[in-house]
Amino acid sequence: MLHIPCPWCGERDEAEFRYRGDASRSRPAADAGLEAFVEHVYERVNPLGWHIEWWLHVAGCRKLLKVERDTETHQIRWVGNPGDPVPSKDELHL
Amino acid sequence: MNHGPSRVADGLLTRAGGAVQFFFDGRAVQGVTGDTVASALLANGCLLLGRSFKYHRPRGPFTCGPHEPCALVDVLSAAGREPNRSATTLEIYQGLNVRSQNRWPSLRFDTLAINDWLGRFLPAGFYYKTFMAPGWAWERIYEPLIRRAAGLGRIDQHIGKCPIRAETVHERTDVLVVGAGPAGITATYRLGQSGLKVMLVERDVILGGGTILDAHWTEWRKQMLERLSALANVRALTRTTVLSAYGHGIFAALEDLGANMQQEPAGPRERLHIIRARRVVLTTGAVERLIAFPGNDIPGVMLAGAALAYLRRYGVAVGRRPALFVNSDEAYDAAFALQATGAESINIIDIRSESRAAERARAAGITVRLGSVIVKAIGRSAVRAVCIREQSRRRQVTLAADCVLISGGYSPAHALASQLGAALRWQNAVAAFVPELSAQLGNLAGAVRGLVGLASAARDGEAAAAAVACSLHQSLAPEADLRIPHEPPSSPLQDLWEVRDVGKAFVDLQNDVTTDDVRLAQREGYEHVEQMKRYTTHSMASDQGNIGGLVGTAVLATARGIHVADVGLSKPRPFATPVPLGALAGTQFGKHLKPTRRLPLEAWHRAAGATFVTAGYWLRPLVYSHEPGWEPVMREARAVRHSVGISDVSSLGKIDVQGPDAARFLDFIYANAFSTLDVGRARYGLMLREDGILLDDGTTARLGHDHFLVTTTTANSANVLEHMEFHLQTVCAEFDVLCTDVGDQWAQFSLAGPRAREVLGTVVSDLELSNRAFPFMAVASATVANIPGRVFRISFSGELAFEVAIPARYASKAWTALLDAGRAFDITPYGLDALNLLRIEKGHVAGAELNGNTTAGDLGFGRMLKKKGDFIGRTLARRPGLNAPDRSQLVGVRPTDRAQPLRNGMQLVTPDDAAIVGFITSSVPSIALDGWVGLALVAGGRDRIGQHLVGKSPVQQESVGVELVDSRMFDPENLRARC
């Protein structure tokens, strides 16, 4: 189980959130074609290590959070709003 | 005191004990308070406690703690039979009734012990290889036979209604310390001193771990426990096992409340602690392991540490003429302790050629044979002698012995560390895998880190406390003296796994896995430790291979000709020990399993005699009758078709969508257009998933230029809201739109039937309801029974119908007013079954057809998809596969013989029985048409309309001829709803 530091509500239990998948990709443009949408919907990398994910705080502020989580250790090193660019390692002072 | 001939001293736990009587296989046994079932039986000289899993060999207790492989018993009580309780941890109480397992007719004489003599024909994989053909015989003959012969405890066929078995509590702490040995106690004390909140969790009934077994540490233990109890910020839990580590500082621990059972038989038996800790210190210690040699399972053979524990804890000597088989100095403690209580003769067989402990033992008059091994134990239901061999001479000697105390070294208890992600590294000094954990994930201290001796563990606990305190920005108070006792220096251990000779040598006593089974697995290609584990079932029993797991690995390594370190251990997963499922369920069963959502008018429905059904979380009236059968449903539906009915549809999801971009947003979310919808009108909408499959359907009304009300199906409302919010925060982030769930704010009733207009007209004061002024799919605000509400002219039943929305708190007043107004027309409340009947006749789809596999095209809505503009699912809905002509398509079905009933789920088969082409999704006895009607999904169904198929239900052995018809079976032009 995870503890997710919600920027709006503070650190909350995973049970309050709904996982919404890979946040590193965005929906193709309307005219991008079948191939692009097939890739968007079905093709996923499954990284061991750092991964950027969507978590929707359904039992809290109902805000969508962009979370950078290590899939191996479950460490969470950054949480931001949907529009925020993911900071680099240097910016995180790692 | 003398409670049993083998009770030779006062035990730490039984010192102040009074007499307790319990029953073992129906025979009364005397023990004392503090005894376990095993210690009380051993005190009475009873070694034989059960029969083994596969070979039905006699077995006695092998350990004195939670990793017991052999001494498992059934507990019988008013609550039923509870199998596989460990006799070595089960505390006795007056009247406790336990039974031995896996024997027939009795423990002493067991007919299936013949399996032991047949043993060489029953190796690992025997069942798979032998019981192959014919296929039918497996289920009917082989499996029942094998199940009867193998296995341990029995589960009752009928389990009585049990009261709440367990409770769940949530805990928060700064530091969780797992295990209260010298390292755990020291770490807890030092962290507690610094002011941090500390939780110390210990599975034993008292704190102390290894210090309990060593008299030199009695004073230290007493003082430290006094210091701990003086700290208000320290909480120590005993009888509590940490089951699993979930990361982010979350742990599950199970507290055994069995000791309270006498006082409160109806109270909970376990308490599940969900612990959230900022830091964790694992001081889980090490587990003594066995040595494999023929006869290492005969009752009387046990771990050396177990014999020491029986003596120190319960004052019970497991034998008077013990033979010890060891490879370390630590194991000698059992010999010294037994000698002190007057053992007749003690032989120590040590594989090492020199040892400091051996010198001390010889000085005390104990016979020590260095450089020797036990090649076999002799005896059947109890050990009589051991056969030993001096490695230098090859000569074998037989020595009389009444117990064999073995110790193959100590393996770090790494299960929790591994769950946290620890890597295992081989350490020669302890001949075991030692976990290594990054400080980020947790701290390890003591024997779990491969340290030997209590003093070094205590000092390591101190170091771990300092590291944890530092990481929490706390400083440790300087401590003058922890008064750690001096320990004599010890000689190193020599690894020792197996002594090969003729006979069965066990590596897993609970699953009856021998060293030969491990070698067989290797020969047959199951070389990886995880494959060997599954092929032989080694370490798959409830003791999880704690005492023999590494021995199996070592035997496999030898067979493969590589080092143990390169074979590794199988991965431990939660839970670290067996857990009753009821303990995990806690109070969450039956009605408490999930929340119940209640309609504002539930009391009225109940008073009107409704039978309820759960739809999503909602409790909805199914039919206003308790009579079985379809007649009450058909009566309600007939009222709607012929006069007027009223139904509570408040559970439908309602989402209020507002903002300047609301229309644009709905155009994107829905597959059909909403920006073209006029204010004051409603439209049926289809929502797709991005992969092109239908997500949900419902009616959406435009209440103002920038204001829409979306309705969703009852079960899907939370998903649809989440779907909208996700897209509003990503793809549509620049849209100025707000979505609000208003499902609980509005009650909604459907007033349906030819007389609906007349009924509504008498309670609505400010709305002209004529077909011209308020046509089909019109929407308006209106005052209903003097309450401001909304009226929608929408129809699911296919009749002239109005849906009336009222603020939920005024639901009752409006409902009653509508009923009063309808009395002249014999207005009839109708439930979900009648609603379903009416919609199936009309061919309207519901959850059974929107099943997550169907597309808009499948259900006949293909032409509703917008040609212009983007929407979710647009691109992928156009995939050729989702538009293939042979996809399952919605059709109506009617039995050829109108008297025959249909059944949901019936397979539709071609008359020549060649192919299954579809199935019935929904079916009801019709009132508008003759006989039953149903909806079905049939391959290429629309082109098959007019064809005859056979509906088959193999389970019920039913078969009925059907014809496929258009899904709009009643009033296909929808004239009744539009009039």
Side-chain angles (χ1 to χ4, degrees):
Chain A
M1 269 198 281
L2 310 173
H3 278 163
I4 298 173
C6 174
W8 310 96
C9 311
E11 188 177 271
R12 314 298 285 204
D13 206 279
E14 177 189 337
E16 294 185 4
F17 294 83
R18 192 76 75 86
Y19 180 68
R20 294 289 317 208
D22 190 344
S24 64
R25 36 208 307 150
S26 46
R27 189 176 187 268
D31 53 2
L34 191 60
E35 293 290 319
F37 271 91
V38 165
E39 201 210 320
H40 172 66
V41 171
Y42 294 107
E43 288 171 25
R44 286 284 177 274
V45 283
N46 184 17
L48 182 72
W50 292 107
H51 190 220
I52 301 160
E53 303 171 333
W54 292 125
W55 288 83
L56 186 64
H57 199 181
V58 289
C61 56
R62 299 204 71 101
K63 288 287 186 192
L64 186 66
L65 310 181
K66 205 187 245 183
V67 175
E68 193 173 19
R69 180 180 71 103
D70 190 317
T71 56
E72 188 182 13
T73 65
H74 298 307
Q75 192 197 336
I76 289 172
R77 72 175 179 195
W78 177 78
V79 178
N81 293 312
D84 296 348
V86 181
S88 68
K89 261 180 101 169
D90 293 338
E91 288 169 308
L92 289 168
H93 305 292
L94 291 173
Chain B
M1 86 184 201
N2 180 15
H3 293 286
S6 300
R7 187 96 58 185
V8 297
D10 277 342
L12 189 63
L13 299 176
T14 53
R15 187 176 295 147
V20 174
Q21 189 182 59
F22 70 103
F23 298 90
F24 176 64
D25 280 344
R27 188 162 54 88
V29 182
Q30 298 290 333
V32 294
T33 311
D35 260 332
T36 61
V37 168
S39 72
L41 286 169
L42 284 170
N44 287 285
C46 174
L47 269 178
L48 179 61
L49 258 73
R51 289 273 175 174
S52 77
F53 182 74
K54 185 167 151 189
Y55 300 121
H56 291 250
R57 286 165 69 102
R59 291 282 167 82
F62 201 82
T63 71
C64 185
H67 305 304
E68 176 58 35
C70 299
L72 304 177
V73 292
D74 288 357
V75 176
L76 283 79
S77 68
R81 174 192 289 262
E82 192 179 2
N84 294 347
R85 290 294 303 267
S86 161
T88 55
T89 54
L90 178 62
E91 290 163 71
I92 60 167
Y93 52 85
Q94 193 69 30
L96 169 71
N97 189 4
V98 297
R99 291 268 166 90
S100 58
Q101 298 185 158
N102 204 28
R103 81 288 189 276
W104 190 86
S106 77
L107 183 56
R108 288 251 152 230
F109 179 76
D110 174 16
T111 51
L112 281 167
I114 191 149
N115 281 3
D116 193 20
W117 306 109
L118 298 174
R120 72 193 171 97
F121 306 111
L122 296 170
F126 167 73
Y127 297 131
Y128 309 127
K129 291 173 191 163
T130 312
F131 300 107
M132 296 270 285
W136 57 266
W138 177 257
E139 213 171 281
R140 293 188 209 158
I141 298 177
Y142 302 148
E143 189 179 318
L145 201 73
I146 294 165
R147 284 202 187 281
R148 187 172 153 70
L152 292 165
R154 271 188 22 228
I155 293 177
D156 278 346
Q157 298 250 317
H158 302 285
I159 297 169
K161 269 219 160 102
C162 92
I164 289 166
R165 159 154 194 149
E167 59 186 21
T168 308
V169 294
H170 290 258
E171 319 265 10
R172 267 187 180 280
T173 183
D174 290 324
V175 187
L176 169 69
V177 180
V178 185
I185 288 175
T186 311
T188 304
Y189 170 59
R190 299 292 278 127
L191 289 164
Q193 260 188 326
S194 76
L196 289 166
K197 208 173 153 191
V198 189
M199 222 171 134
L200 174 63
V201 177
E202 168 58 50
R203 76 162 122 209
D204 201 353
V205 298
I206 50 170
L207 303 176
T211 65
I212 296 167
L213 303 180
D214 192 331
H216 300 107
W217 285 74
T218 307
E219 192 54 31
W220 181 89
R221 188 176 147 263
K222 191 168 148 253
Q223 283 186 5
M224 288 299 277
L225 295 188
E226 274 166 17
R227 287 166 164 187
L228 282 188
S229 56
L231 291 168
N233 50 329
V234 167
R235 197 169 147 216
L237 289 175
T238 54
R239 305 171 195 273
T240 308
T241 309
V242 177
L243 304 169
S244 36
Y246 294 109
H248 282 214
I250 301 176
F251 297 84
L254 191 67
E255 183 177 1
D256 181 7
L257 304 175
N260 297 341
M261 287 294 286
Q262 290 168 271
Q263 286 87 32
E264 272 189 87
R269 290 146 79 174
E270 282 110 3
R271 183 179 293 136
L272 183 70
H273 298 259
I274 309 291
I275 303 167
R276 289 170 171 83
R278 294 166 71 197
R279 294 288 183 278
V280 64
V281 182
L282 299 178
T283 55
T284 43
V287 182
E288 194 171 29
R289 53 185 185 246
L290 55 78
I291 303 166
F293 59 85
N296 67 342
D297 67 322
I298 298 170
V301 180
M302 67 176 72
L303 294 173
L308 179 62
Y310 281 116
L311 192 57
R312 292 257 183 250
R313 295 165 70 96
Y314 312 105
V316 172
V318 297
R320 309 312 286 151
R321 280 170 291 127
L324 276 80
F325 184 18
V326 303
N327 66 343
S328 72
D329 278 11
E330 287 69 40
Y332 279 64
D333 290 351
F336 295 130
L338 283 166
Q339 194 197 29
T341 54
E344 288 165 25
S345 73
I346 303 177
N347 281 287
I348 300 181
I349 296 100
D350 190 332
I351 187 164
R352 298 172 300 169
S353 52
E354 57 176 5
S355 148
R356 289 196 179 92
E359 289 163 25
R360 280 186 281 129
R362 280 177 175 153
I366 296 172
T367 315
V368 182
R369 292 163 190 266
L370 290 172
S372 303
V373 294
I374 291 186
V375 292
K376 72 170 117 180
I378 299 164
R380 174 112 192 118
S381 55
V383 171
R384 294 197 320 271
V386 291
C387 208
I388 65 172
R389 183 178 70 215
E390 283 175 43
Q391 286 185 320
S392 51
R393 284 190 230 164
R394 307 202 141 268
R395 190 167 61 93
Q396 291 201 0
V397 185
T398 302
L399 292 173
D402 61 357
C403 63
V404 182
L405 312 180
I406 61 179
S407 175
Y410 306 85
S411 301
H414 64 91
L416 287 176
S418 290
Q419 286 181 28
L420 284 175
L424 293 181
R425 182 146 308 167
W426 181 259
Q427 211 173 81
N428 264 327
V430 288
F433 288 100
V434 175
E436 286 179 358
L437 201 56
S438 77
Q440 230 173 14
L441 298 175
N443 295 74
L444 305 172
V448 70
R449 280 213 310 131
L451 300 184
V452 178
L454 301 175
S456 50
R459 278 190 285 272
D460 203 35
E462 162 96 18
V468 167
C470 176
S471 78
L472 291 173
H473 311 294
Q474 292 273 334
S475 53
L476 283 193
E479 171 63 32
D481 185 13
L482 285 171
R483 290 177 222 169
I484 295 171
H486 170 72
E487 276 186 333
S490 63
S491 303
L493 152 156
Q494 178 182 338
D495 58 359
L496 168 59
W497 313 107
E498 181 190 12
V499 182
R500 286 186 77 167
D501 206 285
V502 181
K504 291 191 188 79
F506 290 90
V507 288
D508 184 326
L509 287 97
Q510 198 174 355
N511 271 353
D512 268 354
V513 180
T514 66
T515 52
D516 285 338
D517 291 329
V518 175
R519 281 186 281 270
L520 178 71
Q522 188 271 333
R523 281 202 304 279
E524 301 201 339
Y526 299 97
E527 286 211 328
H528 193 281
V529 67
E530 299 280 6
Q531 290 176 322
M532 181 275 278
K533 167 178 171 170
R534 282 152 185 84
Y535 190 67
T536 61
T537 70
H538 176 36
S539 76
M540 280 168 65
S542 65
D543 64 341
Q544 307 200 355
N546 273 296
I547 58 172
L550 186 55
V551 182
T553 285
V555 172
L556 181 62
T558 310
R560 289 174 62 183
I562 59 176
H563 193 265
V564 200
D566 299 323
V567 175
L569 291 172
S570 59
K571 184 164 172 56
R573 296 186 178 83
F575 300 105
T577 47
V579 188
L581 287 176
L584 298 177
T587 55
Q588 288 187 299
F589 59 88
K591 271 200 308 191
H592 303 291
L593 189 61
K594 57 182 186 185
T596 301
R597 297 186 74 177
R598 297 179 185 282
L599 296 166
L601 290 177
E602 184 182 316
W604 189 94
H605 299 311
R606 214 169 274 287
T611 302
F612 286 87
V613 65
T614 313
Y617 291 134
W618 290 93
L619 216 47
R620 295 185 68 176
L622 185 66
V623 56
Y624 291 87
S625 165
H626 295 297
E627 284 169 50
W630 284 98
E631 195 37 54
V633 177
M634 294 167 81
R635 186 183 58 78
E636 289 173 9
R638 249 179 236 120
V640 176
R641 291 264 182 261
H642 297 147
S643 177
V644 64
I646 184 166
S647 179
D648 187 347
V649 294
S650 304
S651 66
L652 287 176
K654 304 167 208 81
I655 301 168
D656 192 277
V657 179
Q658 296 192 39
D661 295 317
R664 196 177 150 213
F665 176 62
L666 292 180
D667 276 351
F668 180 68
I669 288 287
Y670 277 103
N672 49 330
F674 279 91
S675 51
T676 54
L677 184 65
D678 293 330
V679 174
R681 303 286 291 180
R683 181 172 287 170
Y684 177 72
L686 293 174
M687 217 177 264
L688 310 189
R689 309 190 308 215
E690 192 67 277
D691 64 1
I693 302 287
L694 278 170
L695 171 67
D696 200 48
D697 72 339
T699 315
T700 290
R702 192 166 199 168
L703 303 175
H705 184 262
D706 297 337
H707 186 190
F708 292 81
L709 184 76
V710 170
T711 57
T712 74
T713 54
T714 297
N716 256 344
S717 69
N719 290 340
V720 169
L721 180 63
E722 192 193 306
H723 180 74
M724 288 179 163
E725 287 179 330
F726 177 77
H727 287 96
L728 263 183
Q729 293 178 69
T730 52
V731 191
C732 309
E734 82 281 10
F735 287 27
D736 191 357
V737 177
L738 282 175
C739 297
T740 312
D741 184 350
V742 293
D744 287 339
Q745 277 65 35
W746 292 91
Q748 199 148 316
F749 316 132
S750 176
L751 191 66
R755 313 311 276 280
R757 183 179 285 123
E758 291 157 80
V759 175
L760 188 60
T762 60
V763 283
V764 169
S765 47
D766 51 0
L767 185 65
E768 153 89 65
L769 291 174
S770 73
N771 201 27
R772 208 164 51 83
F774 197 67
F776 186 57
M777 296 308 254
V779 176
S781 292
T783 308
V784 181
N786 293 323
I787 305 155
R790 293 171 184 152
V791 178
F792 307 81
R793 198 172 151 198
I794 52 184
S795 173
F796 196 44
S797 57
E799 295 302 317
L800 166 68
F802 300 88
E803 286 198 8
V804 179
I806 294 290
R809 60 159 66 174
Y810 300 108
S812 174
K813 191 179 170 209
W815 177 268
T816 316
L818 287 165
L819 284 176
D820 287 345
R823 196 160 293 146
F825 307 100
D826 211 6
I827 191 168
T828 305
Y830 64 102
L832 210 50
D833 262 350
L835 196 74
N836 206 32
L837 189 156
L838 296 163
R839 70 98 188 166
I840 291 171
E841 288 183 336
K842 285 289 295 177
H844 288 160
V845 295
E849 291 80 30
L850 290 163
N851 61 8
N853 293 313
T854 45
T855 65
D858 297 344
L859 301 188
F861 299 128
R863 283 193 297 181
M864 279 177 68
L865 270 51
K866 291 191 279 284
K867 302 291 177 294
K868 277 192 218 158
D870 194 13
F871 59 90
I872 294 171
R874 170 177 165 269
T875 306
L876 293 188
R878 294 178 182 172
R879 281 181 287 172
L882 292 191
N883 296 281
D886 61 345
R887 276 189 66 83
S888 288
Q889 293 168 341
L890 184 74
V891 289
V893 279
R894 299 184 66 188
T896 324
D897 171 1
R898 302 286 193 231
Q900 295 254 30
L902 301 176
R903 186 186 283 278
N904 293 351
M906 261 185 171
Q907 300 296 310
L908 296 177
V909 184
T910 51
D912 58 2
D913 229 6
I916 299 174
V917 293
F919 67 100
I920 296 179
T921 53
S922 318
S923 61
V924 281
S926 178
I927 50 167
L929 295 109
D930 189 19
W932 281 64
V933 293
L935 295 175
L937 290 167
V938 178
R942 280 195 288 273
D943 288 340
R944 287 181 190 262
I945 285 173
Q947 281 188 15
H948 287 258
L949 297 172
V950 184
K952 288 198 172 178
S953 176
V955 177
Q956 281 90 11
Q957 300 189 323
E958 290 172 358
S959 179
V960 50
V962 297
E963 64 169 313
L964 300 189
V965 296
D966 189 288
S967 60
R968 295 157 297 179
M969 289 172 281
F970 176 65
D971 185 23
E973 288 83 31
N974 215 17
L975 298 173
R976 298 173 72 90
R978 292 170 185 275
C979 67

